[in-house]
Amino acid sequence: MDCAQTMEISSREIIDSMVQGIIVTSSQRKIEAVNPAFSAKLGYSFEELIGQTPRVFKSGQHNGEFYESMWKKIETDGFWNGEIINRKKNGDLITHHLNISPIKNGNGEVVHYLGVFSETPENKLADQAITHLAFYDPLTDLPNRTLFDDRLKQAISQSERNNQMLAVLFLDLDRVKVLNDSLGHVIVDMILKGVAQRLKLCLREGDTVARMGGDEFMIILPGVKGIEDISTITEKILDSLKPAFQFNDHELYITTSIGISIFPMDSDDPDTLLKNADTALNRAKQLGRNNYQLFTPSMKEEITQQVALEQDLRRGLEKEEFVIHYQPQVNIMTGEIVGVEALVRWNHNSSGLVYPKDFINGAEETGLIIALGEWVLRKACEQTKKWMDANLPRLKLSVNLSARQFEQRDLVYMIERILADTGLPPNNLELEITESVIMQQVGNAFAIPHTLKAMGLRLAIDDFGTGYSSLNYLRRIPVNTLKMDRSFIQDLADTGNDGAIVSAVIALGHGLDLSVTAEGVETEDQFEFLKAHKCDGMQGYLFSGALPAENLENLLRNKTIFREDLLFANI
Ligand code: C2E
Ligand code: MG
Ligand code: MG
């Protein structure tokens, strides 16, 4: 040992480096000094304690006698030794072992008191466990929201000092609610743990990944060089989730949506950075999930509009401003009206008739589509049953279902209830869903479509050709109809590729034993092409647009055959 160096260590340095908490008071019991370990245990800085008496730590857990006998023992025996419960600055209680002894001068007079606080071993372990619980998520062992908030504040100050950029990523795993309902929370917990592991592997030292609760994770990337840097890491994260998670016989795929905000461009305030990342996350979800979006100021404006639309939609629903128009569907071979598609419109109190393109997305995003969709289904079933009872030609009713409705746990019960209440036979009802909605059912082996089929309902894939369908799955899903998107029909005038696509879709549908309906048929030429290629059904302005119920009823009474008179109904 180097003696010279040992000699240079002062008693102050020794006291400061002790793990025991040390407190020194005057003979009047006024605090004169504390070491850092003491400050850390009780949560007070030295400056806050100087001049105070140890009464500031009084916990209320001991009575007056306890303190009296303590001081008596110090006077008579020259020390006190025992367990004491104190109150920390934040209000928490702390139990520790305390040793108090007086320090006397040469004349035997007490000039100071010295208190040494040490933790009992059990306390120490319990304290550590409590600290861990307070700052870490028990399931994934990632930092929790409290620790995340603290780290974000620190990271922002550090980035400010070093003139660096910092990115905040807000992740929300896609469709976890559906997995929870179908597979149970044990499997979902395993997925969350697995995701936490993969996220950690994507990050650099100094980055933080935290679980905010549920299926939400948050990442801090300090010291990023620019947008490109952020994109690289974010893409790495999306890629890392691509391989399936394997649990017993289950092979599960998980994707995530990510919203990103950047310090200092988007804000220098932690709360605003989080809020902006959340806004960007919402946009990522709207854009079909499994993608990332950087916050832009215009997103804020759009959110404001969305909130206004939400309130307006609620009002519209309450005031029963929605109406349903019915577009006839025609059998191409016979020319007969065989069905109607229910299409909702909003009879807005100030804007007049509003079409779905201006409110369906908003209703989806705000979840109001669930109430609206249920209303449409009930109303349309009631109306169709009325037509049946009035001895009008028997019609198949097509109703559009949105993705959000398909995620509802009680969808099947809701439909069952409506059919029972209205008395519409199930095989008169065809539900239209898009390719992406149906393909998302892969994970639960198309359980809902199979249930609906077993109930006697029909299913159609709407806007077929605009999404991604796996032909392999298409064989396994119990659908009855493909509704070919109107973009293919629109381009039929040029006899090039789209003619080939239209005939290919018809052949594909027939090959899979499905009926094919063409959407948006507007001209005789389009009709002739479809007839020549044996397309089964059509709807479009060539025969009729969507009509209010009374107008459709008149049409049904007077004219049920397409060819007799070509009518361009435009409402
Ligand atoms: P969609 O289900 O593909 O409905 C067909 C759309 O094409 C309707 O527009 C219809 O009016 C329009 N259309 C029909 N024939 C022609 C034509 O010959 N040419 C042209 N250019 N367009 C034609 P609409 O009523 O504006 O509805 C748009 C979309 O809104 C629907 O597309 C559907 O996805 C959605 N939608 C409508 N009603 C509901 C509803 O009650 N619930 C849900 N979830 N979605 C709905
Ligand atoms: Mg439709
Ligand atoms: Mg469509």
Side-chain angles (χ1 to χ4, degrees):
M1 189 189 279
D2 185 336
C3 257
Q5 232 180 0
T6 318
M7 296 300 288
E8 279 168 23
I9 300 175
S10 69
S11 52
R12 176 83 222 183
E13 279 171 310
I14 292 171
I15 288 171
D16 280 357
S17 63
M18 282 172 74
V19 291
Q20 287 91 351
I22 307 283
I23 180 169
V24 180
T25 70
S26 67
S27 57
Q28 304 306 307
R29 301 181 200 164
K30 289 252 187 324
I31 299 171
E32 294 179 331
V34 295
N35 72 346
F38 184 92
S39 287
K41 278 185 219 297
L42 276 301
Y44 289 95
S45 67
F46 168 61
E47 289 76 18
E48 288 172 310
L49 292 174
I50 183 99
Q52 304 248 40
T53 75
R55 269 196 290 271
V56 288
F57 311 125
K58 216 169 163 179
S59 62
Q61 302 292 307
H62 307 289
N63 56 21
E65 258 170 56
F66 173 88
Y67 295 104
E68 258 171 48
S69 73
M70 179 171 104
W71 286 108
K72 207 168 198 172
K73 186 162 169 53
I74 295 168
E75 271 168 39
T76 52
D77 299 351
F79 72 94
W80 182 86
N81 216 333
E83 291 221 330
I84 188 164
I85 303 173
N86 278 329
R87 190 175 294 281
K88 301 205 248 183
K89 186 181 170 190
N90 67 5
D92 291 350
L93 299 181
I94 178 169
T95 309
H96 31 214
H97 193 90
L98 173 60
N99 199 324
I100 307 181
S101 39
I103 299 171
K104 296 178 179 169
N105 64 14
N107 300 330
E109 293 155 354
V110 174
V111 283
H112 301 288
Y113 290 100
L114 170 70
V116 180
F117 290 85
S118 51
E119 280 163 23
T120 58
E122 313 85 73
N123 269 345
K124 202 164 183 176
L125 282 178
D127 272 2
Q128 279 170 353
I130 288 165
T131 312
H132 199 81
L133 269 181
F135 294 111
Y136 289 85
D137 163 47
L139 179 70
T140 58
D141 211 32
L142 292 180
N144 65 9
R145 173 147 208 158
T146 314
L147 184 53
F148 173 84
D149 286 346
D150 193 54
R151 295 237 179 121
L152 180 59
K153 269 186 215 133
Q154 281 178 22
I156 290 175
S157 343
Q158 201 168 6
S159 302
E160 222 154 24
R161 276 198 303 278
N162 302 344
N163 233 343
Q164 282 180 322
M165 251 164 98
L166 169 155
V168 177
L169 275 59
F170 199 154
L171 283 78
D172 187 339
L173 305 184
D174 300 327
R175 295 186 315 106
V176 168
K177 188 177 156 302
V178 180
L179 293 180
N180 227 335
D181 290 348
S182 56
L183 303 171
H185 75 273
V186 176
I187 298 273
V188 170
D189 280 357
M190 288 203 262
I191 295 176
L192 291 170
K193 275 192 197 174
V195 168
Q197 280 301 328
R198 291 193 193 177
L199 291 179
K200 275 201 270 190
L201 290 175
C202 291
L203 301 181
R204 313 153 305 174
E205 220 183 301
D207 296 344
T208 293
V209 51
R211 178 168 174 235
M212 307 303 270
D215 54 358
E216 291 177 352
F217 294 85
M218 206 96 209
I219 293 174
I220 309 171
L221 303 176
V224 279
K225 305 263 178 315
I227 307 281
E228 221 169 279
D229 217 8
I230 299 169
S231 303
T232 310
I233 303 175
T234 311
E235 268 154 30
K236 196 167 148 196
I237 290 171
L238 289 173
D239 282 347
S240 80
L241 295 180
K242 276 185 185 155
F245 287 88
Q246 209 89 34
F247 303 112
N248 307 328
D249 330 336
H250 293 289
E251 206 174 55
L252 293 169
Y253 292 90
I254 278 287
T255 56
T256 187
S257 308
I258 306 179
I260 304 171
S261 64
I262 301 170
F263 165 91
M265 281 102 96
D266 298 330
S267 176
D268 54 7
D269 164 60
D271 285 343
T272 314
L273 279 172
L274 287 187
K275 225 183 276 160
N276 291 350
D278 191 21
T279 303
L281 171 66
N282 275 327
R283 172 54 52 84
K285 285 192 210 161
Q286 286 164 12
L287 292 175
R289 307 178 173 167
N290 192 20
N291 73 96
Y292 68 92
Q293 293 296 314
L294 292 154
F295 172 78
T296 61
S298 69
M299 282 180 187
K300 256 195 222 153
E301 171 61 19
E302 285 155 27
I303 294 278
T304 316
Q305 282 174 3
Q306 203 176 313
V307 171
L309 175 63
E310 180 179 351
Q311 280 168 357
D312 208 14
L313 275 167
R314 273 186 207 287
R315 189 194 49 73
L317 265 172
E318 212 169 90
K319 299 265 185 282
E320 299 193 18
E321 289 183 354
F322 290 91
V323 286
I324 303 174
H325 287 185
Y326 298 87
Q327 183 175 37
Q329 296 173 334
V330 170
N331 177 318
I332 292 184
M333 291 305 147
T334 64
E336 291 166 295
I337 299 180
V338 286
V340 285
E341 177 173 3
L343 293 160
V344 67
R345 274 98 184 82
W346 185 358
N347 215 339
H348 196 273
N349 67 343
S350 57
S351 321
L353 201 64
V354 184
Y355 285 82
K357 72 171 177 26
D358 294 322
F359 65 85
I360 288 285
N361 279 347
E364 281 258 352
E365 284 153 17
T366 55
L368 284 174
I369 191 74
I370 290 158
L372 179 61
E374 183 170 346
W375 179 86
V376 169
L377 184 65
R378 180 172 289 277
K379 263 280 191 269
C381 287
E382 266 169 18
Q383 182 61 66
T384 310
K385 179 68 168 52
K386 264 191 211 154
W387 286 327
M388 266 177 80
D389 293 346
N391 275 333
L392 289 164
R394 192 183 172 111
L395 295 176
K396 178 192 75 183
L397 167 68
S398 298
V399 178
N400 296 284
L401 277 196
S402 84
R404 280 293 276 271
Q405 283 178 284
F406 228 76
E407 285 173 7
Q408 286 299 101
R409 200 209 282 246
D410 65 351
L411 174 77
V412 171
Y413 303 110
M414 188 267 282
I415 297 170
E416 263 175 351
R417 216 171 41 234
I418 289 179
L419 288 174
D421 292 349
T422 60
L424 187 75
N427 60 3
N428 266 60
L429 180 61
E430 182 163 271
L431 299 172
E432 294 192 1
I433 34 191
T434 58
E435 285 164 280
S436 54
V437 173
I438 204 136
M439 287 304 149
Q440 277 171 13
Q441 293 290 310
V442 174
N444 59 17
F446 307 108
I448 301 175
H450 278 289
T451 310
L452 296 173
K453 166 107 184 188
M455 284 161 60
L457 293 160
R458 298 172 58 88
L459 283 183
I461 300 190
D462 203 355
D463 306 338
F464 185 76
T466 55
Y468 298 97
S469 284
S470 148
L471 296 186
N472 197 19
Y473 286 135
L474 214 48
R475 299 156 69 94
R476 291 167 39 195
I477 315 165
V479 281
N480 305 81
T481 308
L482 293 186
K483 292 192 75 179
M484 194 178 350
D485 191 66
R486 73 162 172 269
S487 54
F488 301 117
I489 312 297
Q490 245 159 23
D491 292 340
L492 261 186
D494 335 319
T495 44
N497 283 340
D498 287 306
I501 291 178
V502 170
S503 52
V505 170
I506 298 170
L508 170 76
H510 289 168
L512 293 168
D513 233 3
L514 305 175
S515 157
V516 181
T517 298
E519 295 184 318
V521 181
E522 295 181 357
T523 68
E524 282 290 339
D525 285 349
Q526 291 166 346
F527 175 76
E528 290 304 334
F529 186 96
L530 292 165
K531 191 165 163 44
H533 287 85
K534 305 217 158 24
C535 187
D536 305 275
M538 66 146 185
Q539 63 185 86
Y541 298 161
L542 176 64
F543 180 63
S544 170
L547 304 171
E550 314 80 73
N551 301 25
L552 187 95
E553 196 169 318
N554 287 336
L555 182 77
L556 285 175
R557 289 192 194 283
N558 301 320
K559 176 183 177 300
T560 52
I561 305 288
F562 155 66
R563 276 285 179 165
E564 284 171 8
D565 174 28
L566 294 182
L567 167 84
F568 280 82
N570 232 330
I571 40 129

